[in-house]
Amino acid sequence: SPARSSATGTAAHPLVDRYLEHLTVERGLSENTLSAYAADIHALLAFLEKLGTPLDACTQRDLFLFLTHLRARKLAATSLARVLSTIRGLFSFGVLQRMLTEDPAVLLENPKIPDQLPEFLTREEMFRLLSKPDASTALGYRDKVMLELLYAAGLRISELIGLQLADYDPQTGVLRVFGKRSKERLVPVHFAAQKLLADYITLRRAEFKPLSQHIFLNRSGKGLTRQGVWKCVKRYAGEAGIRRSISPHTFRHSFATHLLEGGADLRTVQLLLGHAAINATEIYTHIQSGRLMRIHEQYHPRSTAFATSTSRRTGNKA
């Protein structure tokens, strides 16, 4: 019998099974990304089922109706763009595999996505948040190390919870991180985070009665979950008086932002973040532009700030 989606109860199509297998085996997508693709496809299948239209008879009109349905649900432009990408990939694959005769998604256009700067914490906010875990308890110490590492290495949440004991070299202070599509990178950790991590691994981790090789464990001794990290971030953000909504990814944005503010170049930040292409890192160029503007204002001989500082040194009026 055909596979069924647990979320919708909709019977899957052979094309869907083959496409998801292609994404898993040939493209090596992560479990989380694959789940998002599957959810998008099954949402389309459920909609087509209500129309009485099988997937291989889907038309451009059917897809426009589906997108209108999603817009009526106030789906964000970024989420809508992701659904469109999934649909395009599915139908394009179907044509290539000769499971479909034509591609009804070929003329679909992406919604305009407004430019959004990444949400990040100021240095003062970050230091205040990092001071909140109670390091006198095993859980508090674990949380402190975890948050410090998110900020020290700019890790994604999946990278953090995936860290295992063998991934940290205490001699060099370097983490081996497995990012998207299991791409490996080496990330140096500053001395303060090295000390905290070393003490946690050698002194405090055993208190969790480990049943896993993961560095960060829950009360049961198993690897910490995404939900567990989210709860920690929300809790300590509240205790630090940070009222706006932040997530574990905010630490990654703050890491990149503060590096650029300190003078790091974009290429270095790209390597540390594990971005495959520089354009993914360019969302942070607003920070670099602001810093360059301040330097220009301070040192260019025709700027007001430069003229004022010069007149003060020489005793002349500007």
Side-chain angles (χ1 to χ4, degrees), residues 138-139 142 200 204-210 217-218 220-221:
L139 282 172
R142 179 207 66 187
Y200 165 75
R204 306 306 296 265
R205 186 175 172 276
E207 297 180 45
F208 291 88
K209 297 184 170 57
L217 307 173
N218 59 23
S220 303

Side-chain angles (χ1 to χ4, degrees), residues 234-300:
K234 294 290 186 184
R235 173 190 167 190
Y236 294 119
E239 292 181 8
I242 300 169
R243 300 305 172 204
R244 64 187 187 279
S245 179
I246 70 167
S247 71
H249 214 69
T250 308
F251 285 73
R252 182 170 165 86
H253 291 321
S254 302
F255 165 81
T257 299
H258 297 166
L259 281 177
L260 287 168
E261 284 180 341
D265 63 273
L266 209 59
R267 172 60 177 163
T268 298
V269 175
Q270 176 196 355
L271 293 173
L272 291 173
L273 291 175
H275 286 159
I278 192 68
N279 62 344
T281 319
E282 286 174 349
I283 58 172
Y284 301 105
T285 53
H286 70 286
I287 300 145
Q288 199 170 45
S289 298
R291 182 169 57 84
L292 291 175
M293 287 294 290
R294 289 193 299 273
I295 291 172
H296 183 278
E297 176 70 18
Q298 184 176 357
Y299 296 111
H300 194 282

Side-chain angles (χ1 to χ4, degrees), residues 12 27 29 32 49 120 124 139-140 169 196 203 214 230 257:
R27 290 186 54 188
L29 298 188
N32 292 326
E49 188 174 55
F120 61 91
E124 189 275 332
L139 282 172
D169 182 355
L196 286 168
L203 302 175
H214 288 92
W230 264 88
T257 299

